Amino acid sequence: MTHGMRSDTHTPHFGGGGDWRDTAVRYALLPLRIFLGITFIYAGLDKLTDSAFMQDAGSGSIGDMMRAVRDSSAIPALVDLSLKNPVAFGYTIAFGELAVGIGTLLGLFARLAALGGALISLSLWLTVSWASDPYYYGNDLAYLMAWIPLVLAGAPLLSVDAALRSRRR
């Protein structure tokens, strides 16, 4: 029995027909979208419903957390900015996470939502997670990297963006 290379080709995106690999390629980003969307919605809601978090000071407060990471962050000036009004900063992060999560899950302005998620993750990595040693223990870096494929590709399938695109054609 002779083994050789496959001579058939498959289309990496869109188009009809195809085998299971074509389908897998088309839907490859969907699990990432679902995971990041749900995670960021949960993170935003968790912050908004935690009365201890939305405080200037006290156990579990945004203010105490930012003061604790100030000296170990990569950009102390960013932490200082958040400490001017920690509660407003906490609400900004929480509503930002909600907007990013909803946009990502629905595929509405998906690239913009993913860019927002990447920026939130970047800011958290440079402040809260920066002191993690070794660096890969800080989960914000992994989230930052997870957003990049969605920034590049958007939400081409099962999304509001895709539905709007098809209506315009």
Side-chain angles (χ1 to χ4, degrees):
M1 177 176 214
T2 316
H3 296 288
M5 289 202 288
R6 291 181 55 141
S7 60
D8 61 333
T9 60
H10 61 279
T11 56
H13 294 287
F14 307 104
D19 61 7
W20 66 271
R21 286 175 292 179
D22 295 327
T23 303
V25 168
R26 280 194 300 274
Y27 290 93
L29 292 179
L30 191 57
L32 187 60
R33 257 184 58 209
I34 292 168
F35 170 75
L36 290 172
I38 289 172
T39 300
F40 268 58
I41 290 170
Y42 180 82
L45 290 175
D46 189 43
K47 287 173 181 64
L48 289 172
T49 58
D50 183 356
S51 59
F53 182 78
M54 292 298 180
Q55 300 293 322
D56 264 344
S59 179
S61 69
I62 181 72
D64 279 1
M65 181 176 61
M66 296 314 289
R67 279 185 283 282
V69 302
R70 193 234 177 255
D71 293 332
S72 63
S73 73
I75 307 176
L78 188 59
V79 178
D80 290 340
L81 183 63
S82 73
L83 286 171
K84 289 181 188 257
N85 191 341
V87 174
F89 177 73
Y91 277 110
T92 301
I93 290 293
F95 284 119
E97 287 172 338
L98 268 177
V100 163
I102 291 168
T104 300
L105 201 55
L106 297 178
L108 177 62
F109 303 115
R111 282 191 172 102
L112 182 61
L115 180 61
L119 291 174
I120 290 171
S121 296
L122 176 63
S123 68
L124 292 174
W125 177 53
L126 293 173
T127 56
V128 179
S129 301
W130 186 254
S132 297
D133 186 31
Y135 76 92
Y136 51 83
Y137 281 173
N139 64 351
D140 295 309
L141 178 58
Y143 279 103
L144 172 60
M145 293 299 113
W147 283 112
I148 292 175
L150 296 178
V151 170
L152 296 173
L157 295 170
L158 300 176
S159 67
V160 174
D161 290 349
L164 293 173
R165 237 184 342 271
S166 70
R167 281 190 88 195
R168 278 186 252 143
R169 287 186 200 148

